[in-house]
Amino acid sequence: MIQVLRVDDRLLHGQVAVAWTRHYKVDVILVANDHLITDKNMQVAFKLATPAGVTLSMKSLQGAVNVINNPKHASRRILVITKDLDDAKFVCEKTGTEIKDILLGGLRNGEGKKNIEMNSYMSAHDIEVMDELENDGFHVFMQAVPTSKALSTEEIRRNFNK
């Protein structure tokens, strides 16, 4: 069962590995990223960041879809991580109703992006994709760490339009 899909441009790092795996009590971290599957250095770093007792699975976007859609994983508690909202949308569109919650966080600054909350920035395109996901029935929210306030899509839009 998918606990949450997190969008984080750093993919797997200490905050995700510790705080979010504990919060959601996951036993599998599924990193969905086409670049990662060919980057041996990133793979080693992610293996080192994975908490004891948690299985790390690094797949291409389609490979992650295949894992999520495989009924043999239904009893697992899975945290899916994508690098951006476009990748999240790809995974969500191809996995039916397996994913319900999309957690935005760790979105670094870049050209055309505006600060939403602390260290999270979004572009107009990101807002558009977020709106599409919400309209498709996904619960989308932004939260840096489990103990911080979660922002609704309405609050995200308001902060973007300031």
Side-chain angles (χ1 to χ4, degrees):
M1 167 187 278
I2 306 303
Q3 299 304 303
V4 70
L5 183 150
R6 179 171 171 90
V7 179
D8 190 317
D9 61 18
R10 294 179 291 167
L11 296 170
L12 182 58
H13 52 88
Q15 180 177 299
V16 172
V18 176
W20 290 111
T21 55
R22 284 184 185 159
H23 179 75
Y24 284 105
K25 299 176 177 67
V26 300
D27 59 4
V28 175
I29 297 172
L30 174 58
V31 182
N33 183 266
D34 288 339
H35 174 72
L36 173 64
I37 60 171
T38 61
D39 189 327
K40 300 298 180 197
N41 291 331
M42 283 176 62
Q43 291 175 18
V44 169
F46 289 178
K47 287 175 185 174
L48 292 172
T50 304
V54 176
T55 300
L56 174 63
S57 181
M58 296 176 278
K59 301 288 185 184
S60 66
L61 293 172
Q62 185 58 53
V65 166
N66 295 344
V67 168
I68 294 166
N69 288 334
N70 187 334
K72 81 175 190 175
H73 301 295
S75 64
R76 306 300 300 264
R77 296 181 58 88
I78 302 172
L79 164 64
V80 180
I81 305 170
T82 64
K83 187 173 188 72
D84 57 39
L85 278 151
D86 289 319
D87 288 356
K89 184 177 179 190
F90 176 89
V91 172
C92 289
E93 286 177 342
K94 300 200 176 293
T95 54
T97 60
E98 294 301 315
I99 297 168
K100 303 204 181 350
D101 296 322
I102 300 172
L103 165 61
L104 307 178
L107 304 171
R108 287 181 282 199
N109 198 359
E111 188 175 331
K113 292 190 172 194
K114 294 182 181 179
N115 183 253
I116 305 298
E117 170 84 358
M118 292 176 54
N119 292 321
S120 287
Y121 298 79
M122 294 177 73
S123 67
H125 174 74
D126 293 333
I127 297 294
E128 183 181 304
V129 175
M130 177 189 77
D131 290 345
E132 290 171 6
L133 288 165
E134 184 178 47
N135 290 337
D136 288 342
F138 296 97
H139 172 235
V140 184
F141 61 102
M142 180 178 280
Q143 191 172 13
V145 293
T147 56
S148 66
K149 178 186 181 297
L151 296 181
S152 67
T153 52
E154 181 180 320
E155 292 168 302
I156 293 168
R157 273 188 229 90
R158 188 178 321 121
N159 289 356
F160 181 80
N161 291 318
K162 283 183 180 176

